[in-house]
C-alpha cells in the first residue's frame, strides 16, 4: 500500500506486512525480494509487482506451516493477509505449539499430524494399542479356524466309528462280540 502510494489503504494489515518481512528475514537472513542492495525505486517496484520467494525454496526445512504463515503475512493483497498483528502472533504461537494454524485449510491428515507432533507419547500408545488389537484379532481368527477344522475332523471320525459299530451290530453271529463291547 505504501509502495503504491495508496495512503488510504494503509492500516493494520500494512503493519502485518512489515512483521512478515521481519519474520522472513529472521528465518532466512535476507529480505523477501533478494539479498542484494536495491535502489529505493527498484525495491518499490519489486514489492508492488513480485511475489516474495517462498521460504521453502530458500531453505527446504522451512516448508509447511512456517512458509504458509510468512506467505499470508506477505500477501500482496491486503485482504489476503492476517487482519491484525495479533492474528499473526496467534498463528506463530500455534506453530510453536505444534497445533494446526489458521492460515491453512485443515484437512484430517493435517490435524492428525499436528496432534501426533504435539502428543508423541499418547500417539505411540494409540498405535501400539491398535497393533495389539489387530494382532489379537488375527490370533483369535486363526484359533477359530483351527478349532473348526478339528471339530470337522472329529465329526468325520465319529461318523466313521458309528458306521463301523452299526455294521458290526448287523453281522450275524456277532452277538458274542456285542456282549464283550457292552461289558
Amino acid at each position: 500500500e505504501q509502495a503504491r502510494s495508496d495512503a488510504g489503504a494503509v492500516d493494520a494489515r500494512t503493519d502485518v506486512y512489515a512483521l512478515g518481512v521481519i519474520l522472513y528475514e529472521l528465518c532466512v537472513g535476507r529480505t523477501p525480494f533478494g539479498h542484494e542492495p536495491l535502489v529505493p525505486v527498484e525495491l518499490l517496484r519489486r514489492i508492488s509487482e513480485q511475489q516474495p520467494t517462498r521460504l521453502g525454496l530458500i531453505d527446504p526445512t522451512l516448508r509447511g506451516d512456517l512458509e504458509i504463515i510468512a506467505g499470508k503475512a506477505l500477501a500482496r493483497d491486503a485482504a489476503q493477509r492476517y487482519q491484525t498483528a495479533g492474528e499473526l502472533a496467534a498463528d506463530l504461537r500455534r506453530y510453536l505449539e505444534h497445533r494446526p494454524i489458521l492460515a491453512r485449510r485443515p484437512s484430517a491428515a493435517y490435524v492428525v499430524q499436528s496432534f501426533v507432533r504435539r502428543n508423541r507419547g499418547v500417539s505411540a500408545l494409540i498405535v501400539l494399542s491398535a497393533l495389539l488389537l489387530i494382532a489379537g484379532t488375527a490370533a483369535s481368527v486363526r484359533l477359530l479356524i483351527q478349532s473348526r477344522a478339528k471339530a470337522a475332523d472329529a465329526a468325520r471320525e465319529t461318523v466313521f466309528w458309528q458306521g463301523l459299530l452299526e455294521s458290526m451290530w448287523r453281522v450275524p453271529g456277532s452277538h458274542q462280540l456285542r456282549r464283550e463291547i457292552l461289558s
Side-chain angles (χ1 to χ4, degrees):
E1 297 81 24
Q2 289 175 324
R4 289 189 307 263
S5 299
D6 188 1
V10 174
D11 60 12
R13 295 172 296 185
T14 306
D15 294 333
V16 168
Y17 186 90
L19 291 170
V21 171
I22 293 169
L23 173 63
Y24 195 99
E25 288 186 67
L26 288 171
C27 290
V28 293
R30 60 171 241 185
T31 68
F33 298 100
H35 46 12
E36 71 276 354
L38 299 171
V39 293
V41 174
E42 178 60 20
L43 179 60
L44 292 175
R45 187 190 66 71
R46 285 190 187 185
I47 291 171
S48 298
E49 297 174 3
Q50 292 181 0
Q51 288 288 356
T53 305
R54 289 185 11 234
L55 288 175
L57 293 176
I58 298 167
D59 182 351
T61 64
L62 298 176
R63 286 188 180 129
D65 287 348
L66 193 57
E67 180 179 53
I68 291 169
I69 292 169
K72 183 170 176 123
L74 292 171
R76 278 198 341 224
D77 180 7
Q80 300 299 315
R81 286 185 215 140
Y82 292 100
Q83 299 302 298
T84 66
E87 287 180 8
L88 172 60
D91 247 4
L92 286 169
R93 199 171 299 111
R94 282 185 196 86
Y95 167 75
L96 292 172
E97 294 170 352
H98 303 292
R99 296 179 49 195
I101 62 171
L102 298 179
R104 177 181 227 168
R105 178 173 277 151
S107 67
Y110 173 66
V111 171
V112 168
Q113 180 186 20
S114 295
F115 176 83
V116 168
R117 279 190 305 198
R118 202 171 52 251
N119 302 292
R120 291 185 192 273
V122 171
S123 300
L125 285 175
I126 290 170
V127 169
L128 181 62
S129 298
L131 290 174
L132 289 174
L133 181 63
I134 291 168
T137 301
S140 297
V141 167
R142 183 173 178 233
L143 289 173
L144 176 66
I145 291 169
Q146 287 176 345
S147 66
R148 285 186 176 172
K150 287 182 181 180
D153 289 346
R156 282 191 294 277
E157 268 190 55
T158 301
V159 167
F160 169 77
W161 288 110
Q162 280 179 338
L164 184 65
L165 288 173
E166 285 175 7
S167 66
M168 283 177 47
W169 290 114
R170 289 187 221 121
V171 174
S174 63
H175 69 307
Q176 178 63 32
L177 180 60
R178 278 182 260 173
R179 266 191 245 138
E180 287 178 19
I181 292 175
L182 292 175
S183 53

